[in-house]
Amino acid sequence: MTTSAAVRAERSDARTAEIASRVRLIVGRLSRQLRLHPAGDGLTSTQLATLATVERLAPLRIGDLAAAEGISAATMTRVVAVLEEQGLVARRADPDDGRACQVLLSEHGRAEVERLRGQRTGYLATRLRACTPEQRALLEAALPVLELIAQDEPEPAGG
């Protein structure tokens, strides 16, 4: 690689790192704002994330739910117990293994997830209304890139 090409590559890498840093900060701030406003009516962030995962992947076993959320099965068992006490999830016997159970959203849980999602979407829509039409158009144009970045990474081959 020529010296000028190497310099351009270094500048490109530095610019990419700068963009990545700004995106990380923005996403972190926005995530905190969405978690805090509106509050989940006493639900912890782990409980809210669990409800969303159950909605998306149910029915699933506690161990699979724990793996999806990146917490231990013992901790997930406690989280599910609280959610079940509140009537937000239900357990049923796993048809493939009578010793295990599967977790699903109850009707109340589904309604609660939809209500909270609507509140958060409304909050964000209010914030977006403060932007100019041009700013909203720029954000809309960036959505495919953000969606690409946010995609789940594929599982490594073999495991």
Side-chain angles (χ1 to χ4, degrees):
M1 187 179 318
T2 65
T3 303
S4 62
V7 168
R8 280 194 305 275
E10 283 180 30
R11 286 183 185 149
S12 177
D13 288 347
R15 181 75 177 134
T16 299
E18 179 185 329
I19 292 168
S21 178
R22 289 181 68 192
V23 168
R24 179 185 52 77
L25 288 170
I26 292 164
V27 168
R29 285 183 193 136
L30 189 54
S31 178
R32 277 190 300 283
Q33 289 172 1
L34 288 171
R35 275 196 318 268
L36 295 174
H37 184 92
D41 293 340
L43 295 174
T44 67
S45 59
T46 300
Q47 291 166 339
L48 289 168
T50 298
L51 286 174
T53 299
V54 170
E55 178 193 39
R56 187 170 42 101
L57 301 176
L60 68 166
R61 293 179 179 189
I62 298 264
D64 295 331
L65 183 54
E69 289 302 312
I71 61 177
S72 74
T75 298
M76 183 54 72
T77 298
R78 290 190 297 276
V79 170
V80 168
V82 170
L83 294 173
E84 189 175 28
E85 285 174 17
Q86 295 178 6
L88 299 170
V89 299
R91 296 184 211 213
R92 71 173 185 201
D94 185 331
D96 297 328
D97 183 352
R99 300 166 296 167
C101 70
Q102 295 177 329
V103 179
L104 343 99
L105 274 184
S106 66
E107 287 306 314
H108 174 58
R110 188 168 313 285
E112 188 65 6
V113 167
E114 288 174 14
R115 183 184 72 77
L116 291 170
R117 187 173 288 135
Q119 285 181 338
R120 288 179 174 185
T121 299
Y123 168 76
L124 193 52
T126 298
R127 298 294 304 263
L128 288 173
R129 282 186 203 99
C131 297
T132 66
E134 294 79 15
Q135 290 169 326
R136 285 192 301 271
L138 284 170
L139 181 58
E140 185 176 13
L143 290 176
V145 175
L146 293 171
E147 290 165 345
L148 178 68
I149 293 168
Q151 282 180 354
D152 289 336
E153 293 186 38
E155 291 294 320

